[in-house]
Amino acid sequence: MTRTYAITVRGKSGAEYSFNFKGQPEHLEGWLQEGFEINELLNSIPVWAQQMGLTRPWCAVQDAWNWIRLW
């Protein structure tokens, strides 16, 4: 099952950029050994939901949805 990851890239000027991608968990160890900075994204929250104070309910619904998708 693919998961959502974020890879962080540092430019020559020191600026950092982060890109989301879907990847296979079995490849993660190889990427980390190559020196990539990769984090698994568990939840993503739109700005409007955060501004309305809906961060916790939004994450709870996402977690429930991901748990249900296991079957």
Side-chain angles (χ1 to χ4, degrees):
M1 178 161 136
T2 62
R3 295 189 179 172
T4 305
Y5 295 101
I7 185 167
T8 303
V9 180
R10 284 183 198 82
K12 291 180 182 179
S13 65
E16 289 187 0
Y17 306 94
S18 183
F19 302 95
N20 300 346
F21 68 96
K22 299 272 187 187
Q24 298 292 333
E26 56 268 12
H27 298 170
L28 183 61
E29 189 60 37
W31 295 330
L32 294 175
Q33 288 177 356
E34 288 292 329
F36 292 115
E37 184 177 329
I38 298 177
N39 299 303
E40 182 176 1
L41 299 179
L42 301 176
N43 298 100
S44 60
I45 303 127
V47 173
W48 62 265
Q50 187 273 328
Q51 290 172 344
M52 293 176 62
L54 299 173
T55 301
R56 283 183 174 220
W58 190 273
C59 290
V61 169
Q62 279 187 341
D63 291 343
W65 175 252
N66 287 334
W67 185 77
I68 289 169
R69 286 189 346 178
L70 290 176
W71 290 283

